[in-house]
Amino acid sequence: MSTTAMGRRGALGAVTAAALAAGTMGLAPMALAASVTTNVHGGDIAGWNTAVTPLPPMPSGWFAQSDNQAGTTGVGEVVPDDSQTPTTDGHLHLATPALTDKVVVQHGAGSALLSSFITGSYAAQVIGTKVASPADYQLVIDCNGSTAGGLSTLNFVDAGQTAAQGWKTLDVVNGGAAMWWSTKTLNADGTTAASNTAPTTGGLQGGQTAPHALSEFKSTCGASGTINTYGVNMGSGTAGQDGNVDTITFNDAVTNFQYVWVDRISGLNRVATAVQASQALFDVAGATADASANDASVVVLASSMGFADGVSGVPLAAALNGPLLLTAQSSLDPATATEIARTLPAGGTVYVLGGVGAISDNVATSLTSRGFKVTRLWGTTRFETAVAVAKSIPGATKVLLTSGLNFPDALSAGPAAAHAGGVVLLTSGPTMASATQAYLTQNPGVEVFAVGGDAFKAAPTTDSAHKLVGADRYETGTKVASKFFTNPAAITFASGQNFPDALSGGGIASPLAPPTLPLATCTSPPFPTPHPPNHPTSVSHHSRPSAHR
């Protein structure tokens, strides 16, 4: 995910900008509610193509209009922009191919008072290969109860934005004097007239050649003047305009436009799927000194035949910044060996989870012979192994308890623990394991969460707010995700019918910090068309052909 892109497109904070606006206009500061951000996703954006007839439905409160100022069929469009390098964030792409095209995207303002408009911004980008013109921020205002001359539209125009500037956040309230123009002349009594009509004394001339400060429109419109809609506009007047828009703010309402990209990560078997997950995250060790390179610091190695050690290893891999890979008990899987060599430099550390019954000494010897250091974290039982792993994660503040006898409830626990800075400990089904209880006794300050019904039975005194128990494994997964993740930038899906894909899914999920949700089948929910390869994703789907399960 490109946090740089997200930051440069972000709108000004509503409360901070409100204080600035009040100071600039000489008004008393107004109290605003905390800003509320609405994320509009890719499937919705794709439906905003205003060249389609009939017009597809849009998200609640928004509407689009495409017209041709010459009276012919409009072809202005609102479409996702495929020409830009995709990130998990997104934007609207406004296009007006012909001279007289126009496209407008508006949201109802609930008849808010124009005088109360104290926070407004949007992020804009012009496309260098097109006409260099950003979209306009618009307000449709009513200064006379719609009885004398009709509504007028105020347009904010930023002078001089270029393609070289990339994304630019425009403050439409404090952007400077004379940045707004009206589609109609506004008379002193609030009535409107055609833009080429001279205003009465004290009024404001309409038209693009007569810009005014926002404060002038507020004063002339009067205390009862209202805003019907707010939004953005592209065109008309110049052919071939293309521009991008993101993060529109109107007082305390913030709309952030996002794409939902889908990437399938799969291999011929469970080991290969884990390798693919590692390759999706980590670069070749030492291949580049670029600050953006993601070199693994360690590798965490778990058994491909059991879930328990791998589940506790997910937060370890996240904490130490390394992939979670799988191998058979008797010998090091060749694909895993190749991936370790790709990911780690000579002398790097491989954490082997479990005793020799899970991963043999032969595997450890094979690793040392290849020049890697081996640290084995193990106990005589899976419960003791989970404790040994937990003790290797310093500073853990949360414990997610889940059954160590059956995998379904554990599938979502690993990524959640990784995201929350916690660890995963195992219960013996509905009974508390002695090793787990000993760890909890030795660490009385940790928050304990019970993931699944058996875990709660083993720890019945767990706070009810920390009881994450659903009717089945799928509802439990959603409860875990809802508890630990707020507006995640990515989600991973894996089969809820078997554990290996969820383990490798946890391995990719933990560094990216999204939840893993189990699916009843290997068919993920419908999403938009997958993005081009080698770009960040917001949805990952982990699977392999059923013949290899």
Side-chain angles (χ1 to χ4, degrees):
M1 175 175 61
S2 174
T3 54
T4 302
M6 294 178 72
R8 67 174 176 252
R9 288 163 25 183
L12 298 174
V15 175
T16 302
L20 291 173
T24 301
M25 295 184 294
L27 302 175
M30 297 182 62
L32 280 180
S35 61
V36 177
T37 299
T38 301
N39 294 318
V40 177
H41 293 285
D44 298 319
I45 296 174
W48 291 18
N49 187 335
T50 56
V52 175
T53 303
L55 189 66
M58 295 176 66
S60 178
W62 288 93
F63 67 92
Q65 177 185 357
S66 175
D67 60 27
N68 185 297
Q69 302 298 288
T72 58
T73 302
V75 292
E77 296 179 352
V78 185
V79 293
D81 186 5
D82 296 327
S83 69
Q84 303 297 299
T85 300
T87 68
T88 51
D89 206 22
H91 50 264
L92 290 181
H93 176 200
L94 307 181
T96 56
L99 180 66
T100 56
D101 293 340
K102 181 178 181 181
V103 60
V104 178
V105 177
Q106 296 278 336
H107 191 284
S111 296
L113 293 176
L114 178 59
S115 60
S116 298
F117 178 52
I118 57 177
T119 302
S121 64
Y122 69 118
Q125 180 192 48
V126 298
I127 302 175
T129 58
K130 306 292 184 179
V131 176
S133 176
D136 302 339
Y137 190 105
Q138 280 194 340
L139 300 174
V140 176
I141 64 170
D142 183 359
C143 299
N144 50 60
S146 301
T147 60
L151 306 176
S152 182
T153 300
L154 302 185
N155 298 271
F156 175 88
V157 180
D158 177 63
Q161 183 176 354
T162 66
Q165 291 177 302
W167 282 96
K168 182 179 179 181
T169 297
L170 305 170
D171 181 355
V172 303
V173 173
N174 302 290
M179 299 294 286
W180 291 83
W181 64 274
S182 173
T183 56
K184 291 188 176 182
T185 290
L186 183 60
N187 294 316
D189 61 359
T191 60
T192 59
S195 61
N196 59 356
T197 302
T200 60
T201 301
L204 301 175
Q205 179 71 53
Q208 297 186 47
T209 59
H212 304 279
L214 180 62
S215 58
E216 294 181 82
F217 284 109
K218 288 184 175 183
S219 177
T220 303
C221 194
S224 61
T226 59
I227 302 173
N228 286 20
T229 64
Y230 66 91
V232 290
N233 160 76
M234 176 71 75
S236 60
T238 305
Q241 291 190 132
D242 273 70
N244 298 322
V245 174
D246 193 17
T247 317
I248 299 174
T249 295
F250 176 79
N251 285 342
D252 61 335
V254 181
T255 300
N256 181 42
F257 303 102
Q258 297 180 320
Y259 291 152
V260 177
W261 299 107
V262 183
D263 210 359
R264 180 185 292 273
I265 297 174
S266 64
L268 293 176
N269 53 48
R270 59 191 65 182
V271 172
T273 297
V275 167
Q276 290 296 312
S278 174
Q279 291 180 354
L281 279 179
F282 295 100
D283 295 315
V284 176
T288 175
D290 193 308
S292 65
N294 189 22
D295 291 341
S297 302
V298 302
V299 166
V300 177
L301 188 62
S303 169
S304 62
M305 302 309 295
F307 75 94
D309 296 341
V311 166
S312 60
V314 169
L316 177 68
L320 301 182
N321 190 44
L324 175 64
L325 298 174
L326 305 177
T327 189
Q329 184 271 341
S330 58
S331 61
L332 183 62
D333 188 282
T336 297
T338 300
E339 179 60 11
I340 293 173
R342 186 193 73 86
T343 306
L344 278 185
T349 299
V350 179
Y351 286 85
V352 174
L353 306 186
V356 295
I359 297 179
S360 68
D361 279 336
N362 183 47
V363 173
T365 300
S366 180
L367 289 167
T368 55
S369 69
R370 286 172 164 82
F372 301 108
K373 298 177 182 178
V374 173
T375 298
R376 186 184 287 271
L377 303 176
W378 72 287
T380 57
T381 66
R382 61 185 60 192
F383 314 109
E384 292 179 4
T385 294
V387 169
V389 173
K391 289 181 177 179
S392 299
I393 305 176
T397 59
K398 296 177 175 61
V399 170
L400 276 69
L401 295 176
T402 191
S403 173
L405 301 185
N406 204 2
F407 72 87
D409 292 335
L411 296 179
S412 305
H419 178 69
V423 298
V424 175
L425 295 181
L426 305 177
T427 67
S428 183
T431 303
M432 180 63 70
S434 58
T436 301
Q437 183 59 64
Y439 179 94
L440 295 175
T441 300
Q442 294 164 9
N443 297 274
V446 297
E447 284 187 274
V448 178
F449 298 81
V451 179
D454 278 353
F456 185 72
K457 291 176 182 177
T461 59
T462 301
D463 189 293
S464 60
H466 294 177
K467 176 185 176 183
L468 306 176
V469 180
D472 55 26
R473 63 192 68 182
Y474 310 109
E475 186 179 0
T476 294
T478 60
K479 286 180 177 289
V480 172
S482 297
K483 186 67 176 180
F484 291 99
F485 300 89
T486 301
N487 294 325
I491 298 173
T492 60
F493 292 100
S495 171
Q497 302 298 308
N498 211 336
F499 68 86
D501 289 342
L503 284 185
S504 56
I508 192 172
S510 51
L512 292 174
T516 294
L517 296 178
L519 296 175
T521 69
C522 283
T523 301
S524 63
F527 289 105
T529 303
H531 68 84
N534 301 321
H535 289 297
T537 65
S538 59
V539 175
S540 302
H541 179 210
H542 306 270
S543 67
R544 61 190 189 281
S546 59
H548 298 275
R549 291 202 178 276

